[in-house]
Amino acid sequence: MPRQTSRSSNNTRRDRPTLRTVAQACGLAVTTVSRALNNRSDIALATRQRVRQVADELGYVPDRAGRGLRTGRTHTLSLLLAPQGEITGYTASIISGLGEICRDNGYELSATPDVRHHDELSVVRSIVENQRADGIVLSRTAPQDLRVRYLLENDFPFVTHGRTELATQHASVDFNNEHFAEAATTRLVQRGRRCLMLIGAPASLTYQTHLLNGFSRIVTRNALQSIEIDDPPNLETPLNDLRRTVARLCQSERCPDGIVCAGEMAAIAAMAGIRDAGLAPTVDIDVIAKQTSATLDHMTPSIDSFYEDIDATGRLLGETLIRLLEDRPPPGELSVLIEPEPRYRLTDTGKTNTRT
């Protein structure tokens, strides 16, 4: 019985349409069909569409295992995700955008939790040494990120969501957090706020430096007061703790009249803390946030925000890594910086702006 099953399985594999089957049906070379199915831009769009249609009609499915043996590649990209969920919908959005690019280019996407208890390199090292992927997407980058150093030393393709401060250039896609903080703080100044607070990222991450640079520049330029406390809350502070911290500040002599939040959930918790202190958001204290989902579109009262499209970021990360894999340009040429998109809902006097 086992032998019959094995023969049946072998016959099934032999009966499957191959790349050559599709090429013969299309009247094209096998290499042309391969590039068309991988959505390569050097093949005309009409040809790509025709080849895909024929492949679907024939029921062609790529033999990734066989292709991996021939090429030494897995045709898999690995996305390393931290367990912290400080950005609303981040995981779903980044996977959606990155997955779309993988599907269009013949790659599989593998999402791996980047849990680093004692060894910061354990997950990255496992992927590289066991050849589990052709390239890696890293998030939560640090100024001197050890994972980036390791990948550079091993000449392993990768792209980071965020930047480092390493001397060696590498591929990256980042939101311009410095411009966000600068524009958000300027917006508070326009609304007459003079005593400001920043709820940013953990100090260990590079983009906290960018946030502080933008925030501090406007505070200094306009001779504003900046609220600084021991153990300040950040995007990874539990929301209940952040809410209580803001409430205590609002009941003290150091009460801010404007708060810049680098995340929308932090902004919602901050507004709750303002109310707990008996004050009114947008009346007594303004909150302005980085927005990554539709949540703030439905907040009452409305607040101003700057939008970061995480789905589009996922697509850019995928496109950048695949270009690095396929075309091998210098990594320094593959750095993308995304500008913040303002979403002003209030006028300078605090009334709701109906022309957002």
Side-chain angles (χ1 to χ4, degrees), residues 74-81 98 102 107-114 123-124 126-128 131-139 151 156-159 321 325:
T74 66
H75 287 270
T76 296
L77 303 184
S78 185
L79 168 64
L80 269 58
L81 288 168
L98 185 53
C102 285
Y107 285 85
E108 296 288 340
L109 175 63
S110 171
T112 304
D114 189 11
V123 178
V124 169
S126 174
I127 293 171
V128 173
Q131 299 180 329
R132 290 164 44 197
D134 295 331
I136 295 176
V137 177
L138 297 174
S139 60
L151 293 170
F156 193 89
F158 71 96
V159 59
L321 185 51
L325 286 165

Side-chain angles (χ1 to χ4, degrees), residues 329-350:
E333 294 181 3
L334 298 177
S335 295
V336 181
L337 194 57
I338 303 168
E339 292 300 322
E341 176 188 326
R343 292 190 172 182
Y344 295 152
R345 301 176 179 86
L346 302 175
T347 65
D348 289 350
T349 59

Side-chain angles (χ1 to χ4, degrees), residues 59-79:
Y60 169 74
V61 178
D63 182 358
R64 297 188 184 280
R67 183 167 59 173
L69 289 173
R70 292 191 302 273
T71 64
R73 295 174 60 177
T74 66
H75 287 270
T76 296
L77 303 184
S78 185
L79 168 64

